[in-house]
Amino acid sequence: MNYAVVIPAAGQGKRMQAGHNKQFLVLEERPLIIHTASVFEQDPWCKEIIVVANASEIYDMEELFKEWGIRKVKQVVVGGNERQNSVHEGLKCLIPEHQVVLVHDGARPFVEQADIHRLVEQAEQTGAAVLGTKMKDTVKRTDGEKVLETIDRSSLWAVQTPQAFQAAVVTEAYDYAAAHQIIGTDDTSLVEYMGRPVKIVEGSYDNIKLTTPEDMVVARAILQKRREGKR
Ligand code: CTP
Ligand code: MG
């Protein structure tokens, strides 16, 4: 099996309050984007990485990939205003011969190879698949003040990235969304808009997105756990 991955990293990282794009935040000596890109650099199924960045950060990212030996990055391209626009720009750069295409947030450094492989196999069969975890919290729908209902948790999943697609499906979904001015909440939702099936693949609670400063504490704990596990 083989796949290509588009990594959107063209955000501002506002909620992280680091004063700069969180992709450059250093965790155990390596910048966040290098942690994330390394997962794919080391996966033999991954044949090509496209990174989407802010125009002013392209040079710095390219230098980081050279410095850290990330050789599968074929291009660092300029993103757009919304994440979906950034992903679309990345998809346009892919060479067409990959079986499966993944989209994975630059801000999710802890995804594991075994989960990626199960996801890729499912996407190849179904057309589209997404990693997720079962909800731990009880979820209530409210009007802002009053509780309207308690939703049956057994059917609820929190979705993550990577989100994976047969190559033809992802191009069609993003072109369809652009033509109909649809902004989806995640990548596979664009496939849902076309009425096509999307499968959920159970992933790990460690595959967090680093969004707010508290997430950095969890990130350091995950890295420490992995270091100790290796000893
Ligand atoms: N992203 C992107 N292009 C955008 C917005 C986001 O490529 N226009 C990327 C981010 O760099 C990140 C991923 O999409 O890797 C998920 O987005 P999020 O966690 O929201 O990151 P930011 O948008 O950078 O953070 P914030 O919303 O707090 O500003
Ligand atoms: Mg954002």
Side-chain angles (χ1 to χ4, degrees):
M1 197 73 84
N2 74 71
Y3 69 84
V5 60
V6 171
I7 302 182
Q12 302 297 321
K14 284 196 187 124
R15 287 169 290 173
M16 189 58 82
Q17 299 164 29
H20 55 80
N21 188 353
K22 62 191 177 184
Q23 308 294 326
F24 297 97
L25 277 177
V26 173
L27 269 166
E28 295 199 342
E29 293 169 18
R30 290 196 295 168
L32 173 53
I33 187 64
I34 297 299
H35 280 274
T36 306
S38 297
V39 176
F40 298 100
E41 181 70 22
Q42 285 159 18
D43 181 358
W45 288 16
C46 179
K47 303 300 178 197
E48 184 183 15
I49 304 172
I50 303 287
V51 175
V52 191
N54 293 305
S56 60
E57 294 170 347
I58 287 188
Y59 177 80
D60 289 347
M61 288 228 177
E62 285 174 343
E63 288 300 300
L64 279 181
F65 295 134
K66 270 188 225 155
E67 185 185 337
W68 289 92
I70 311 288
R71 293 183 189 83
K72 291 181 189 170
V73 175
K74 294 289 155 18
Q75 271 191 69
V76 183
V77 295
V78 183
N81 284 342
E82 300 291 335
R83 179 184 177 283
Q84 187 172 318
N85 307 120
S86 296
V87 173
H88 202 186
E89 291 309 309
L91 291 172
K92 289 176 192 166
C93 300
L94 288 175
I95 52 167
E97 63 234 35
H98 304 289
Q99 287 175 289
V100 169
V101 172
L102 261 56
V103 178
H104 183 66
D105 291 327
R108 273 186 209 271
F110 302 124
V111 64
E112 291 182 49
Q113 197 179 99
D115 291 337
I116 296 173
H117 287 185
R118 286 187 302 113
L119 180 77
V120 167
E121 282 169 343
Q122 187 56 255
E124 210 259 335
Q125 279 178 29
T126 308
V130 54
L131 273 188
T133 51
K134 289 177 184 152
M135 292 289 292
K136 291 186 193 175
D137 294 323
T138 295
V139 179
K140 292 183 191 285
R141 204 164 62 79
T142 76
D143 65 4
E145 285 179 1
K146 189 167 154 254
V147 171
L148 301 174
E149 65 169 326
T150 301
I151 296 164
D152 175 18
R153 192 176 54 198
S154 65
S155 63
L156 293 181
W157 291 70
V159 301
Q160 308 170 336
T161 67
Q163 308 208 357
F165 310 83
Q166 289 169 358
V169 171
V170 75
T171 312
E172 198 186 334
Y174 269 83
D175 290 348
Y176 181 89
H180 293 83
Q181 288 161 352
I182 295 166
I183 298 284
T185 48
D186 68 323
D187 306 293
T188 50
S189 68
L190 303 182
V191 174
E192 294 164 42
Y193 276 115
M194 295 195 304
R196 304 271 186 82
V198 178
K199 284 271 177 79
I200 186 113
V201 172
E202 187 159 19
S204 157
Y205 290 107
D206 278 359
N207 183 21
I208 57 168
K209 181 161 71 68
L210 303 189
T211 306
T212 59
E214 302 79 57
D215 296 327
M216 297 305 283
V217 180
V218 182
R220 289 195 185 91
I222 292 170
L223 285 169
Q224 188 182 347
K225 178 178 81 175
R226 290 187 175 182
R227 247 194 348 264
E228 286 167 358
K230 277 187 191 141
R231 260 188 233 138

